[in-house]
């Protein structure tokens, strides 16, 4: 049995309800679902990174419950769950207890949809400043997710500002599907 570990009961309850709603939407065939934090909750930890413990306490059990629910219902095989922030965080302070964006290293979770369960891909240097092992770019991540959805990343285009664009900017980045993280 799971036990609630803090983070504010309203935030925990609201986030739990958002995860339950996400599962129900997936059950009904909705193809893309994004779970947002509860209204009025600031998750930006620039000025106080210590709040990360509070955020994790309010979200880890509901997020795990969402993944478990999808698996129990046979939906995890065809559903990609991506859990990520906007950037990684630098291992240094921002003149306070906060930390700035880190474009050189980021952690995220991928579950279901043909991704290897329990797989850890890559590593950072000893202080978490930059990725040093099995680096994966954002375009590579997008190419891999699209591949798992049966979409060729270099064929998916949309018109923007008078020119065709791709999610992976494949002309510039030479994005590659990372097969080592797939089952």
């Amino acid at each position: 049995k799971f036990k609630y570990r803090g983070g504010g009961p309203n935030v925990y309850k609201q986030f739990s309800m958002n995860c339950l709603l996400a599962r129900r939407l997936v059950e009904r065939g909705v193809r893309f679902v994004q779970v947002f934090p509860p209204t009025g909750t600031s998750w930006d930890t620039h000025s106080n990174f210590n709040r990360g413990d509070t955020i994790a306490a309010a979200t880890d059990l509901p997020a795990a419950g969402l993944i478990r629910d999808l698996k129990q219902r046979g939906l995890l095989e065809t559903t990609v769950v991506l859990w990520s922030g906007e950037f990684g965080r630098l291992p240094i302070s921002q003149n306070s207890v906060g930390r700035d964006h880190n474009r050189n290293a980021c952690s995220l979770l991928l579950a279901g949809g043909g991704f290897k369960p329990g797989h850890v891909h890559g590593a950072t240097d000893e202080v978490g400043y930059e990725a040093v092992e099995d680096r994966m770019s954002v375009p590579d991540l997008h190419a891999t997710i699209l591949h798992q959805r049966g979409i060729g990343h270099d064929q998916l285009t949309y018109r923007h500002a008078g020119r065709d664009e791709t999610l992976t900017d494949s002309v510039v980045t030479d994005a590659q599907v990372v097969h080592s993280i797939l089952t």
Side-chain angles (χ1 to χ4, degrees):
K1 298 282 182 189
F2 287 122
K3 183 177 179 187
Y4 169 64
R5 297 181 306 164
N10 288 336
V11 172
Y12 179 80
K13 181 179 178 183
Q14 289 174 5
F15 192 76
S16 298
M17 295 301 289
N18 289 351
C19 287
L20 179 60
L21 178 60
R23 192 254 301 157
R24 289 180 176 169
L25 290 169
V26 170
E27 283 179 318
R28 285 160 180 78
V30 175
R31 296 187 63 178
F32 180 85
V33 179
Q34 184 171 358
V35 180
F36 287 97
T39 305
T41 305
S42 174
W43 290 42
D44 196 341
T45 58
H46 281 282
S47 62
N48 186 355
F49 194 74
N50 295 330
R51 287 184 39 250
D53 291 345
T54 302
I55 293 168
T59 60
D60 62 351
L61 293 179
L66 171 60
I67 293 170
R68 177 178 284 128
D69 281 354
L70 292 170
K71 185 174 182 178
Q72 284 177 343
R73 289 163 173 75
L75 296 168
L76 191 58
E77 295 171 12
T78 57
T79 303
V80 175
V81 177
L82 169 64
W83 180 273
S84 178
E86 58 181 338
F87 285 93
R89 291 290 184 197
L90 286 170
I92 54 176
S93 175
Q94 212 177 1
N95 296 325
S96 68
V97 292
R99 291 168 34 186
D100 204 358
H101 293 144
N102 186 353
R103 63 183 180 85
N104 299 312
C106 180
S107 297
L108 60 87
L109 175 141
L110 280 166
F115 288 92
K116 285 182 182 176
H119 177 75
V120 176
H121 183 84
T124 64
D125 60 14
E126 63 188 30
V127 295
Y129 183 76
E130 66 181 332
V132 295
E133 182 181 312
D134 293 329
R135 292 178 61 112
M136 181 187 304
S137 69
V138 172
D140 289 346
L141 173 65
H142 288 170
T144 305
I145 292 170
L146 288 170
H147 171 78
Q148 290 305 98
R149 307 309 329 139
I151 301 169
H153 72 92
D154 51 353
Q155 297 168 342
L156 177 66
T157 62
Y158 59 95
R159 198 83 174 147
H160 176 71
R163 67 181 199 151
D164 288 336
E165 299 273 356
T166 65
L167 180 63
T168 58
D169 200 11
S170 57
V171 173
V172 176
T173 65
D174 191 31
Q176 301 293 316
V177 174
V178 180
H179 292 280
S180 62
I181 65 174
L182 306 176
T183 55

